[in-house]
Amino acid sequence: MSKLQIPDNIIIVGATLYTDLVQKDYLERIYPYLKTATRIDRFPSYNPHIIDDAISIAKCSKTPLVIFVHDRIYKTLVEEFDRKGYKTESKNGTILIRIENNVIVIKSISLFNKLESLITNPNRNVANFKLFGEVEALNKIEDELCQHAIITKVLPTWYNVVILDSDGEKILIDLTKKLNVKLLPIASVRASLIEYLIQKNKTISFAESCTGGLLAYKFISKSGASNIIKGTMVTYSNEIKHKWLGVKEETLEKYGAVSKECVSEMVYGIKEKTNSNIAVAISGIAGPTGATEEKEVGLVYIGLINDDFKEVKEFHFKGDRNFIQEQAVRSAIEMIILSEKDFFEFF
């Protein structure tokens, strides 16, 4: 697609809105025509008429038609074009379909919410839940609840769920028990985590590199944070990691700043400096530069230590710099929640 061929027509299948504002902002940065297109057709779920509509639009348009499709419907849509006799080409993870003098571009997107927005009916009685579990289990819950809830994918293992009716709540509770998914009846994870830590008389501290203080901000932006946060450090350079956190020079030389070994020493360092109950450290490559043959953009290590255990996890995030940072922070919050054994019983 050349720079002159800016798409003016878009079809979104399996979605009526973006999952959340952070992901909306990310997609609009990489696909700026989402903001400028004069026509956007939305279909909450797949139906065969979409193919005919797309072909008709493409034939009448002078610019490419882009179809953004939920990743779980992608294969069905492509197969339907094949069945109708249209040749599909795969290029850089995108499907191209030639239609006379135009082209249809199909992109698989997993950041869309498949369901309706509360904005369309703000007066409905709703119940808020947070779900934490295995990807397969959460996907199953999403399928079962599709007519009864608004589901937002915060991470592949963390969903926000807004239940719209009593049937939906019953289905959700039954499925979480059956699928071993952790359920929280809360509206805000961060506010609830702060409340929990206050009641448990626990404190927390952060040492951040690639996220530049974003994790600390997520907490400090909420009321009550002053009762739990002892301190935070943005240790961006190797020199400061060594001077402030005590990361050994030989660790940095041998393994690098983006390594399990470095983050392990970072998290010990911030806990020792602040004497907090919980300490979290993050180091990674947010991009677009900084990658090597061994370490790609999106590689992030997150370490956590509390009174009971220590863990350092390796993540491989996709997206641009801001979105990688956001995913790292969300994953760190999830790690904090899952490390607190009493958190799910507290609410």
Side-chain angles (χ1 to χ4, degrees):
M1 189 186 305
S2 71
K3 290 184 178 180
L4 295 177
Q5 294 175 302
I6 299 174
D8 202 35
N9 298 287
I10 294 171
I11 293 177
I12 298 173
V13 184
T16 56
L17 75 165
Y18 301 93
T19 303
D20 61 31
L21 293 178
V22 172
Q23 295 174 342
K24 175 180 184 293
D25 180 56
Y26 164 60
L27 287 178
E28 288 184 348
R29 286 199 303 274
I30 59 175
Y31 305 122
Y33 48 81
L34 278 167
K35 295 188 290 185
T36 61
T38 58
R39 175 176 177 172
I40 299 181
D41 296 326
R42 292 178 169 86
F43 297 87
S45 59
Y46 172 77
N47 71 70
H49 299 298
I50 294 171
I51 306 292
D52 296 330
D53 289 349
I55 293 169
S56 177
I57 292 170
K59 286 181 177 179
C60 297
S61 176
K62 295 181 180 179
T63 61
L65 165 68
V66 179
I67 302 177
F68 288 101
V69 57
H70 192 281
D71 55 359
R72 298 168 73 187
I73 310 171
Y74 179 74
K75 185 178 179 182
T76 301
L77 187 70
V78 174
E79 287 176 347
E80 186 63 18
F81 270 105
D82 284 333
R83 193 183 69 79
K84 286 182 173 285
Y86 289 95
K87 183 180 178 182
T88 58
E89 308 170 31
S90 180
K91 186 176 181 181
N92 299 325
T94 296
I95 295 294
L96 303 179
I97 302 166
R98 308 289 174 180
I99 305 290
E100 296 183 355
N101 294 323
N102 205 350
V103 64
I104 293 176
V105 181
I106 304 178
K107 293 181 177 291
S108 173
I109 298 292
S110 62
L111 304 181
F112 286 132
N113 185 338
K114 296 199 300 182
L115 308 169
E116 63 177 305
S117 168
L118 272 181
I119 296 172
T120 61
N121 196 345
N123 296 318
R124 297 180 72 165
N125 293 321
V126 299
N128 290 279
F129 296 92
K130 313 299 177 192
L131 305 182
F132 297 86
E134 297 297 326
V135 173
E136 186 176 341
L138 292 180
N139 284 341
K140 183 172 179 57
I141 289 175
E142 183 180 8
D143 290 338
E144 295 286 336
L145 281 176
C146 64
Q147 301 301 319
H148 306 279
I150 297 167
I151 301 174
T152 303
K153 185 188 293 185
V154 180
L155 290 170
T157 52
W158 169 4
Y159 281 15
N160 289 346
V161 178
V162 180
I163 296 294
L164 303 175
D165 54 47
S166 57
D167 289 340
E169 187 164 351
K170 184 178 184 304
I171 293 169
L172 176 63
I173 292 171
D174 289 345
L175 283 171
T176 53
K177 291 177 181 177
K178 185 169 142 184
L179 298 172
N180 194 30
V181 169
K182 295 181 182 295
L183 180 147
L184 286 171
I186 58 175
S188 169
V189 165
R190 284 175 289 150
S192 298
L193 186 52
I194 290 170
E195 179 187 350
Y196 165 83
L197 293 175
I198 290 173
Q199 292 299 318
K200 293 291 183 178
N201 198 29
K202 291 186 176 183
T203 55
I204 192 166
S205 298
F206 310 113
E208 300 181 63
S209 185
C210 65
T211 49
L214 183 61
L215 176 59
Y217 166 76
K218 293 288 188 181
F219 281 87
I220 293 169
S221 63
K222 293 291 184 181
S223 176
S226 60
N227 295 299
I228 65 161
I229 293 182
K230 293 221 56 189
T232 180
M233 292 184 183
V234 177
T235 55
Y236 212 72
S237 70
N238 287 0
E239 178 187 3
I240 294 302
K241 286 181 178 69
H242 171 64
K243 286 184 177 179
W244 290 8
L245 297 175
V247 178
K248 299 183 183 71
E249 290 182 339
E250 51 264 39
T251 299
L252 293 166
E253 290 173 6
K254 184 175 181 180
Y255 300 105
V258 182
S259 66
K260 183 175 182 179
E261 291 78 10
C262 175
V263 169
S264 179
E265 293 182 24
M266 286 174 66
V267 76
Y268 268 123
I270 191 65
K271 192 173 192 303
E272 184 177 321
K273 287 283 186 183
T274 60
N275 195 31
S276 57
N277 301 103
I278 305 165
V280 180
I282 303 175
S283 186
I285 305 172
T289 60
T292 66
E293 288 185 6
E294 297 80 22
K295 299 177 181 180
E296 76 279 11
V297 169
L299 174 64
V300 177
Y301 290 92
I302 304 175
L304 182 147
I305 186 169
N306 62 21
D307 297 331
D308 297 317
F309 80 104
K310 174 193 169 186
E311 180 179 34
V312 178
K313 294 182 71 173
E314 178 179 316
F315 297 88
H316 296 267
F317 301 121
K318 302 297 181 184
D320 65 1
R321 183 178 182 83
N322 291 352
F323 194 49
I324 288 171
Q325 291 169 332
E326 179 67 27
Q327 291 174 87
V329 165
R330 293 181 183 190
S331 297
I333 293 171
E334 182 184 41
M335 285 177 65
I336 296 168
I337 290 169
L338 296 178
S339 73
E340 291 297 309
K341 297 176 182 177
D342 300 331
F343 185 71
F344 290 91
E345 287 72 33
F346 184 79
F347 295 96

